[in-house]
Amino acid sequence: GLNAAFPSVAHLLPMLSLENSYNEQDLIDWDKRCREASGAESIHYCVEPKFDGAGISLLYESNMLQRGATRGDGVMGDDITMNTLQIRSIPIHAALHTCGIQQMELRGEVLLTKKAFQTYNHRLLAEGLAPLANPRNAASGSLRLKDPNEVSKRNLDSFLYHISYIQFRDGQDTPPGFRTHYDTLQTLHTLGFKTSYPYTRLVQGIEEVIASCRAFEATRDDLPYEIDGAVIKVNSFELQEQIGQTSHHPRWAMAFKFKARQATSTLLQIDYQVGRTGSITPVAKIQPVAVGGVTISS
């Protein structure tokens, strides 16, 4: 079951939210603000999938994973280190010393593949429990389980997409692999972290950004994970610094949300399922319909 007793821990830097955009004009206006704030004529942007999961913050020190925490309120999160260790795609140790890194805090998303989600829902149904509505709820519920073995059974996956804090060895300048967002993703990927690097596109100018967002939306069903949008970030850390942030969100990043998916079907009948505790759940049986790479029949 859920555990209210996870100790609270402070993130090294607050986890900010992203500003949302829903159409191309929002992106064009945002690009204009970024160019005005930075004085750049044209900006290189990274466009990456917006994975629909549960936010996580990881602290590495002396090559080892020291702590995993949920996003919480952005300033404080729950210490879920034991559960984090059950996620196979999160390295327990990495050769960070080769880049001169002493301490590093990473941000990422924990999620279930569409396949793992279906497997998990079949298991719930077999146990007479109500299935979960979406992979995101399954992921965030899993992180808060008391029993790490149960977490392990759920086959959680993760993608890391941001270094929020990094400290190099005394006196060391920032190495070349850590001067832009894209280079950072690639460096982390090389060090054995599972990052959004393979899916990220580095483009110049807002027209290319819009084309990339459209391409992600058109191919979202081909991905093994649920994505609900794209995230666009100014690539250069120097420009990010110039553009700045509010107390709530970075001004150099923007989420582009896809349109919600809809499908129409016919109600065939209503069944009543009796759970183990005797609770009764009505289940609407519908004509099978495909929505977002999943066929829904109830």
Side-chain angles (χ1 to χ4, degrees):
L2 296 185
N3 184 353
F6 284 109
S8 268
V9 288
H11 301 300
L12 294 190
L13 282 182
M15 287 179 87
L16 301 178
S17 309
L18 284 177
E19 220 181 339
N20 287 328
S21 61
Y22 298 92
N23 56 50
E24 295 173 10
Q25 192 55 47
D26 287 348
L27 292 177
I28 291 166
D29 296 344
W30 170 68
D31 168 62
K32 188 168 175 251
R33 293 196 301 274
C34 285
R35 285 183 292 117
E36 282 169 358
S38 65
E41 273 176 49
S42 171
I43 295 179
H44 282 92
Y45 291 105
C46 283
V47 186
E48 51 198 274
K50 186 172 181 304
F51 295 109
D52 198 14
I56 193 170
S57 168
L58 303 173
L59 179 62
Y60 285 85
E61 228 168 288
S62 315
N63 293 344
M64 296 293 291
L65 174 64
Q66 302 291 340
R67 190 179 81 196
T70 62
R71 183 178 184 280
D73 63 5
V75 177
M76 304 283 291
D78 291 338
D79 188 328
I80 50 159
T81 307
M82 285 308 290
N83 289 349
T84 308
L85 295 171
Q86 310 308 316
I87 304 170
R88 294 176 195 83
S89 51
I90 294 179
I92 295 170
H93 46 78
L96 303 180
H97 67 283
T98 57
C99 300
I101 300 170
Q102 273 185 326
Q103 194 185 40
M104 174 170 75
E105 186 181 50
L106 296 172
R107 299 279 150 81
E109 204 75 11
V110 170
L111 34 79
L112 281 167
T113 62
K114 293 171 186 171
K115 204 171 157 190
F117 174 64
Q118 284 182 324
T119 306
Y120 177 55
N121 263 347
H122 286 314
R123 206 175 102 193
L124 288 176
L125 284 167
E127 291 173 22
L129 301 168
L132 290 178
N134 57 52
R136 185 209 300 156
N137 292 11
S140 70
S142 302
L143 288 178
R144 301 185 54 83
L145 291 167
K146 273 189 260 192
D147 179 5
N149 294 329
E150 186 55 37
V151 179
S152 179
K153 277 188 207 159
R154 293 197 184 180
N155 286 323
L156 295 169
D157 207 339
S158 77
F159 280 97
L160 303 171
Y161 51 72
H162 178 64
I163 296 180
S164 50
Y165 176 84
I166 192 163
Q167 187 193 349
F168 294 100
R169 271 199 298 268
D170 295 345
Q172 181 181 326
D173 282 344
T174 304
F178 294 93
R179 288 177 196 165
T180 70
H181 178 64
Y182 192 75
D183 288 350
T184 299
L185 290 180
Q186 191 172 11
T187 305
L188 288 173
H189 183 77
T190 309
L191 286 168
F193 291 91
K194 187 166 185 175
T195 71
S196 42
Y197 168 69
Y199 296 107
T200 301
R201 298 159 182 226
L202 179 58
V203 301
Q204 185 168 7
I206 204 66
E207 290 305 319
E208 288 188 18
V209 166
I210 290 166
S212 293
C213 288
R214 283 206 196 109
F216 273 128
E217 187 157 20
T219 56
R220 64 194 289 198
D221 291 343
D222 305 337
L223 287 174
Y225 311 91
E226 253 332 307
I227 64 170
D228 60 352
V231 178
I232 304 112
K233 295 173 186 167
V234 170
N235 187 41
S236 153
F237 289 153
E238 202 179 324
L239 288 187
Q240 283 186 12
E241 201 106 318
Q242 287 168 16
I243 295 165
Q245 57 189 50
T246 70
S247 58
H248 178 252
H249 61 261
R251 289 195 174 102
W252 45 261
M254 178 65 80
F256 177 76
K257 301 285 277 209
F258 297 153
K259 287 168 195 66
R261 285 194 275 220
Q262 294 178 324
T264 308
S265 180
T266 310
L267 178 64
L268 302 175
Q269 68 189 67
I270 293 178
D271 291 348
Y272 292 93
Q273 281 185 346
V274 182
R276 283 188 304 196
T277 55
S279 61
I280 295 175
T281 310
V283 178
K285 293 291 175 190
I286 59 172
Q287 195 75 49
V289 60
V291 184
V294 184
T295 303
I296 296 173
S297 56
S298 58

